Amino acid sequence: AQSVTQPDIHITVSEGASLELRCNYSYGATPYLFWYVQSPGQGLQLLLKYFSGDTLVQGIKGFEAEFKRSQSSFNLRKPSVHWSDAAEYFCAVGAAGAAGNKLTFGGGTRVLVKP
Amino acid sequence: SQTIHQWPATLVQPVGSPLSLECTVEGTSNPNLYWYRQAAGRGLQLLFYSVGIGQISSEVPQNLSASRPQDRQFILSSKKLLLSDSGFYLCACKGGVNQPQHFGDGTRLSIL
């Protein structure tokens, strides 16, 4: 069964500093990987996705993530955080051809941005 | 691009009352549709998914049911709500091969 671990429940970062959110997955085949962001009381917005090809993927809002197969990781990064990046971030794993193309989500990382 | 509509945005219901949450999708045909629940301070739990009209798969045993009467309509229901049904309910849509899931804005359900 697939699983996703986001080791950090909370991260506090100063505005303008860099941000890295960790994501480790467990899956028997090549995974499809996603990062979503959720502002309070809102739905989830897709930041970026990895299906195949270049292991460094660029997303919206200046985010990027790198797929490292050897480490089973898909960490999210942003070079300079803005106050508007304060939100909860979810990593998810799925697979093509799996019944219903279901996703498994990590528990989320809440990011607080200090002025 | 696809748009996902959920209503109502918030709902307060007494224990034992029925429930009907609706999700409709625009901008895609024959999508996969999903219902998730997000309890306070917790991650997302997949409740149901559907790959076509009338086709419902349940992921966890519970007090809820789902139906898909039309291609782009997905309904979450209950005959009698429990306190434990409180949470944030999200509908998601996947338009095709190699497409990600996109989410609606959710319904906040409080059970009193």
Side-chain angles (χ1 to χ4, degrees), chain A residues 25 30-31 33 50 55-56 65-69 72-75:
Chain A
Y25 67 90
T30 299
L33 295 158
Y50 171 78
T55 56
L56 183 63
E66 186 170 13
F67 170 53
K68 293 186 177 180
R69 184 189 302 275
S72 297
S73 69
F74 189 57
N75 294 349

Side-chain angles (χ1 to χ4, degrees), chain B:
Chain B
S1 63
Q2 51 199 280
T3 304
I4 302 159
H5 301 282
Q6 283 190 250
W7 64 90
T10 59
L11 188 60
V12 180
Q13 292 284 96
V15 171
S17 64
L19 173 73
S20 180
L21 301 182
E22 188 162 345
C23 171
T24 59
V25 179
E26 295 177 358
T28 186
S29 296
N30 195 31
N32 285 4
L33 297 173
Y34 309 83
W35 278 113
Y36 291 87
R37 177 169 58 206
Q38 190 176 29
R42 302 182 65 178
L44 282 83
Q45 180 185 36
L46 178 63
L47 302 176
F48 301 94
Y49 70 90
S50 171
V51 299
I53 296 173
Q55 300 179 63
I56 308 295
S57 296
S58 175
E59 288 295 290
V60 293
Q62 61 206 308
N63 186 43
L64 302 168
S65 62
S67 62
R68 186 169 176 177
Q70 300 179 45
D71 181 46
R72 288 173 285 180
Q73 184 185 30
F74 203 24
I75 297 172
L76 185 68
S77 303
S78 174
K79 292 181 179 178
K80 286 187 177 181
L81 286 167
L82 306 172
L83 283 174
S84 58
D85 292 324
S86 292
F88 191 49
Y89 288 82
L90 289 158
C91 178
C93 169
K94 182 182 182 301
V97 176
N98 289 350
Q99 293 299 312
Q101 289 185 22
H102 292 279
F103 286 79
D105 288 335
T107 294
R108 172 77 56 195
L109 176 63
S110 299
I111 310 300
L112 303 179

Side-chain angles (χ1 to χ4, degrees), chain A residues 32-51:
Chain A
Y32 287 1
L33 295 158
F34 308 85
W35 275 100
Y36 289 86
V37 61
Q38 184 181 34
S39 297
Q42 301 294 312
L44 276 69
Q45 180 183 22
L46 180 70
L47 284 175
L48 48 78
K49 62 185 184 291
Y50 171 78
F51 287 147

